[in-house]
Amino acid sequence: MPNKLITIYTTAETHSNAITRSVPMSVRRLLLVLLTLLTPLSSYTQSISVQAPERVGKNQDFSIVYTVRNANVESFSAPHVPAGLTVVGGPSRQEESSTSIINGNVSSSRSVSYIIYLVATAAGTYNIPPANFNIQGHLVQTKSLSIKVDNSAANQSPAQTPHSMQQGMFPPSAMPPSSSLSSEVTERDLYFTVTASQTTVYEQQAVLLTYRFYCGKNLGLSVGTGQTPDFKDMVTIDIENESKTPDVTQENIGGRPFKTGIVKRTLIFPQKTGTITIPGITFQCQVQPADPFGAFFSTPSVLERKVKDIQINVQPLPQRPVAFGGAVGQLQAKAEIVGGPPKTNELGTYRLTISGVGNLKLITPPKINFPKSFETYEPRITDNSKADDAGCTGNVVFEYRFVPREVGNFTIPETPFVYFDPADKTYHTIALQAIPLNIKQGERSASEVDKELELMRSDIISEPQDEPKHLLPKWGSPLYIFLLLAIIAAFVWVYKWLGKNLEIRSDAEGWRRRKSGKKASVRLRKAEQLLNEKDDIFCAEILKAFKVYIAEHYNIGVGEISKQKIEDLLTEDNVEPALRSELLGMLDECEQVRFSGVISNITKDEMLLKANDIMNKLINANKNGKQ
């Protein structure tokens, strides 16, 4: 269950600008850039862990918990569970985060857990294959699990309850010492409530649970989830509060003022019918005086408050159609072949997108009856849904990959997608239309595609179970120090480069000379685009390129340029006579074409090459002469 540690009170803060004003603006900006570069290295360690029992008893329920800390999980693919172990719920996504501001000190962390609830129905040793995560664009895979199921009840170990102590809580050995304030705060001064959006629902229909706190007696309060009960026979998904802090309001209850706000919202999806009990959550709270002065000189007191149990009446779904796969809500579905039909021994993708509002995260991939000659693979699941007050909204995408092995006309037959809508209490069927495929002969052999598929599988990163993988280097490690030094070196290089660039730009004449060559090159590229135009238009553009270069480089007007002026300027710059002669000859040729309209004894391509060669020589000669 998520653990949101929320601070209700705020402490007074003083800010001094004296030191800031004494630091030059340029230095402050450089420090800000450096701190920004170093921020990713100082973030929380990212890791993945797996919790599961090594041994359970027959007919005993247990859970497997996959937890990712401080990383962005884009999708999760649950492993295939072997016969003898029955999945009774999940995978349930649960997000945990904690943020605390106490006397100006800020701390926070977050994690995402996927919980699968199972029952061991037969004795034996079972190997559960790896689970797959898509984390920040990287495919990460856990190690396989081995769970032994015994017939003897004496060997039964209690089913693991993941997160029995959540991040941000206070284990008994770490609880701060209580003060007299804890004895003064009664159940009437601090309590929590839970309300359900509806108390009679269908199986798999979402119920929104809203947890609120009520705090009086002028208290400062921080709230964290304590021991989380076992939400048996239901899947839970927590709704993340985008603002990270609750909207605190004032209410008068029984003539007394209370601060109140929503501390937690959770969606539950019942997995069995009948009257089910939603167990109450225990919240651990830190209380201390609300005023900053009192908070500074007092030690926070730790209190526990438990929300009462509530009951939900879960009705069974009407008689289920054969094609029904457990989808409940208001849903739409469409199917398509991505990128058109593949050829033989090429990888194709059949994409099924289910969108709307409902139990999107719990929908199992429908079975698609591909032609027998197609080699098929387990569908890849991309969950683009999010939990909100209405349920899970968005879409989930199933991508079925297949490889045709034979040439011919084939058809992926029409597939019914059936879902139950609690609003009208009716099953609805969406016919996913049949897709004809004309498979042509491909150029690849079967061995080539098999090798590619093997490489795709080996691209998965193996993730150790007992030692979480750190996606960022640890503080103080050699890799951390190396990255830190690399960032500092890059920062110094950028600083020097900017300084040199500013120095160059401050030299107006030098800057203009450097830009003149670029402008001339742009003109010559434009002349290249005019190769199919008349000769005189093409040559006029070349002539303009050289005149623009001379005018920009020597800071004179284009109207002042003449053959004698060019020769004088180049002579002053010690340009070699041969190059001067080539340039003036090129200008003469262009001038003649402007009047005659036709290029003689040379093609336009040859003239363009010659112009580029002279321009490059001239730029290099001027550059070397100014160094």
Side-chain angles (χ1 to χ4, degrees):
M1 296 297 294
N3 168 24
K4 294 183 181 293
L5 189 62
I6 302 165
T7 300
I8 309 304
Y9 68 87
T10 58
T11 59
E13 295 183 1
T14 59
H15 301 277
S16 173
N17 293 324
I19 297 177
T20 305
R21 287 194 299 266
S22 66
V23 180
M25 178 61 72
S26 59
V27 176
R28 275 185 277 159
R29 287 177 178 171
L30 292 175
L31 290 174
L32 179 60
V33 172
L34 182 59
L35 289 173
T36 303
L37 291 171
L38 295 180
T39 297
L41 294 180
S42 60
S43 61
Y44 286 93
T45 301
Q46 299 173 329
S47 63
I48 299 178
S49 62
V50 182
Q51 286 180 280
E54 294 181 357
R55 176 176 297 184
V56 296
K58 183 179 177 181
N59 298 323
Q60 180 186 359
D61 57 340
F62 64 98
S63 60
I64 303 175
V65 184
Y66 301 91
T67 302
V68 179
R69 293 180 175 84
N70 300 311
N72 181 26
V73 179
E74 298 179 6
S75 64
F76 169 74
S77 297
H80 174 73
V81 176
L85 302 177
T86 302
V87 176
V88 295
S92 168
R93 177 186 169 102
Q94 298 181 357
E95 298 186 13
E96 303 175 357
S97 63
S98 65
T99 303
S100 179
I101 308 174
I102 300 176
N103 296 332
N105 296 319
V106 182
S107 62
S108 63
S109 65
R110 61 186 176 87
S111 64
V112 178
S113 297
Y114 293 85
I115 307 177
I116 303 175
Y117 301 92
L118 308 100
V119 172
T121 57
T125 300
Y126 299 95
N127 291 319
I128 298 177
N132 294 326
F133 287 91
N134 187 340
I135 298 178
Q136 299 170 349
H138 298 283
L139 193 59
V140 181
Q141 186 180 71
T142 65
K143 275 190 175 180
S144 57
L145 301 173
S146 179
I147 298 178
K148 186 173 183 181
V149 179
D150 295 325
N151 279 316
S152 173
N155 289 328
Q156 292 185 11
S157 58
Q160 286 197 1
T161 304
H163 313 294
S164 59
M165 185 65 71
Q166 304 287 344
Q167 290 182 345
M169 296 162 24
F170 296 92
S173 61
M175 284 188 179
S178 298
S179 66
S180 59
L181 184 61
S182 60
S183 60
E184 299 174 6
V185 179
T186 66
E187 295 282 351
R188 295 180 66 246
D189 303 317
L190 175 62
Y191 62 94
F192 291 77
T193 63
V194 58
T195 56
S197 59
Q198 45 194 336
T199 56
T200 301
V201 294
Y202 283 99
E203 181 183 355
Q204 293 283 355
Q205 184 180 356
V207 178
L208 174 65
L209 302 179
T210 303
Y211 296 85
R212 299 185 68 93
F213 69 87
Y214 291 85
C215 177
K217 213 177 180 65
N218 196 28
L219 297 173
L221 173 67
S222 292
V223 181
T225 306
Q227 289 198 355
T228 303
D230 183 9
F231 284 82
K232 190 177 180 181
D233 301 321
M234 65 192 82
V235 172
T236 63
I237 301 175
D238 291 302
I239 300 175
E240 184 176 355
N241 183 9
E242 294 183 358
S243 66
K244 306 301 181 185
T245 57
D247 294 328
V248 180
T249 59
Q250 297 284 341
E251 289 187 17
N252 280 317
I253 301 175
R256 297 181 59 198
F258 281 85
K259 289 176 289 189
T260 181
I262 297 174
V263 71
K264 179 182 178 65
R265 290 182 302 157
T266 301
L267 288 175
I268 66 166
F269 295 85
Q271 302 297 301
K272 79 168 189 176
T273 60
T275 300
I276 64 173
T277 299
I278 299 175
I281 296 176
T282 299
F283 290 95
Q284 283 194 334
C285 313
Q286 287 188 40
V287 293
Q288 61 188 101
D291 66 283
F293 185 81
F296 183 80
F297 288 101
S298 66
T299 302
S301 298
V302 177
L303 299 174
E304 286 190 351
R305 293 290 186 267
K306 183 178 180 181
V307 176
K308 65 179 182 179
D309 298 351
I310 59 174
Q311 292 184 327
I312 301 292
N313 180 29
V314 182
Q315 299 177 345
L317 295 173
Q319 184 173 357
R320 307 183 182 200
V322 175
F324 179 67
V328 175
Q330 293 81 46
L331 303 171
Q332 301 86 41
K334 69 173 183 178
E336 59 184 336
I337 297 295
V338 179
K343 296 180 181 180
T344 57
N345 296 319
E346 291 183 353
L347 193 64
T349 301
Y350 176 94
R351 177 184 292 162
L352 171 60
T353 304
I354 300 174
S355 58
V357 181
N359 61 342
L360 291 172
K361 295 181 182 294
L362 307 178
I363 296 176
T364 56
K367 183 178 180 181
I368 308 298
N369 294 318
F370 289 95
K372 292 183 179 179
S373 62
F374 286 15
E375 186 174 341
T376 59
Y377 303 90
E378 288 294 321
R380 176 183 177 182
I381 304 173
T382 303
D383 183 3
N384 300 316
S385 65
K386 67 175 183 178
D388 57 25
D389 292 353
C392 286
T393 61
N395 66 65
V396 59
V397 179
F398 303 99
E399 290 187 340
Y400 301 77
R401 296 190 173 186
F402 62 92
V403 177
R405 297 298 189 180
E406 298 178 2
V407 175
N409 292 317
F410 301 90
T411 300
I412 300 176
E414 179 180 288
T415 303
F417 171 70
V418 181
Y419 69 94
F420 179 76
D421 188 348
D424 57 17
K425 305 177 183 179
T426 304
Y427 288 100
H428 298 266
T429 300
I430 299 175
L432 303 173
Q433 63 181 6
I435 300 178
L437 297 175
N438 180 17
I439 305 300
K440 298 180 179 180
Q441 182 65 47
E443 298 179 357
R444 309 178 65 190
S445 64
S447 60
E448 286 179 316
V449 72
D450 290 340
K451 185 176 180 180
E452 179 181 333
L453 293 171
E454 187 62 32
L455 287 173
M456 289 173 58
R457 298 187 190 101
S458 65
D459 192 37
I460 298 174
I461 304 170
S462 180
E463 178 68 28
Q465 174 185 341
D466 49 353
E467 296 183 3
K469 177 180 176 62
H470 298 288
L471 303 179
L472 286 177
K474 290 184 178 181
W475 176 275
S477 66
L479 180 57
Y480 179 92
I481 295 173
F482 171 77
L483 291 176
L484 181 62
L485 293 175
I487 289 176
I488 293 174
F491 177 78
V492 172
W493 181 86
V494 170
Y495 179 76
K496 290 183 176 180
W497 180 83
L498 287 174
K500 184 177 180 181
N501 197 273
L502 289 173
E503 181 182 348
I504 292 173
R505 287 175 178 265
S506 64
D507 179 9
E509 183 179 353
W511 179 253
R512 189 189 64 254
R513 288 175 181 273
R514 289 177 175 85
K515 296 291 287 185
S516 61
K518 293 182 179 179
K519 289 184 179 181
S521 299
V522 171
R523 285 286 179 184
L524 287 178
R525 284 197 297 271
K526 188 175 179 181
E528 185 178 359
Q529 297 171 1
L530 300 176
L531 283 170
N532 295 326
E533 297 292 335
K534 293 181 179 179
D535 291 357
D536 57 340
I537 297 175
F538 168 74
C539 288
E541 195 62 38
I542 292 180
L543 186 62
K544 189 182 296 183
F546 281 102
K547 287 187 175 181
V548 166
Y549 173 75
I550 297 295
E552 290 286 341
H553 187 76
Y554 293 102
N555 194 24
I556 61 175
V558 176
E560 301 178 41
I561 296 177
S562 64
K563 288 179 60 177
Q564 187 60 47
K565 183 70 172 179
I566 293 173
E567 187 168 8
D568 292 342
L569 292 172
L570 296 181
T571 303
E572 289 178 10
D573 268 0
N574 296 319
V575 176
E576 294 180 358
L579 180 55
R580 297 202 305 267
S581 177
E582 280 188 86
L583 173 59
L584 295 174
M586 170 63 69
L587 297 181
D588 282 339
E589 286 185 63
C590 292
E591 288 286 359
Q592 290 175 8
V593 174
R594 287 183 63 192
F595 293 103
S596 66
V598 179
I599 300 175
S600 60
N601 64 34
I602 190 173
T603 66
K604 283 191 283 189
D605 286 324
E606 291 172 337
M607 178 172 281
L608 182 61
L609 289 173
K610 184 178 179 181
N612 276 295
D613 181 59
I614 294 172
M615 181 65 75
N616 289 331
K617 290 179 181 179
L618 186 61
I619 291 172
N620 290 330
N622 284 324
K623 185 186 299 182
N624 295 331
K626 294 299 178 183
Q627 286 180 350

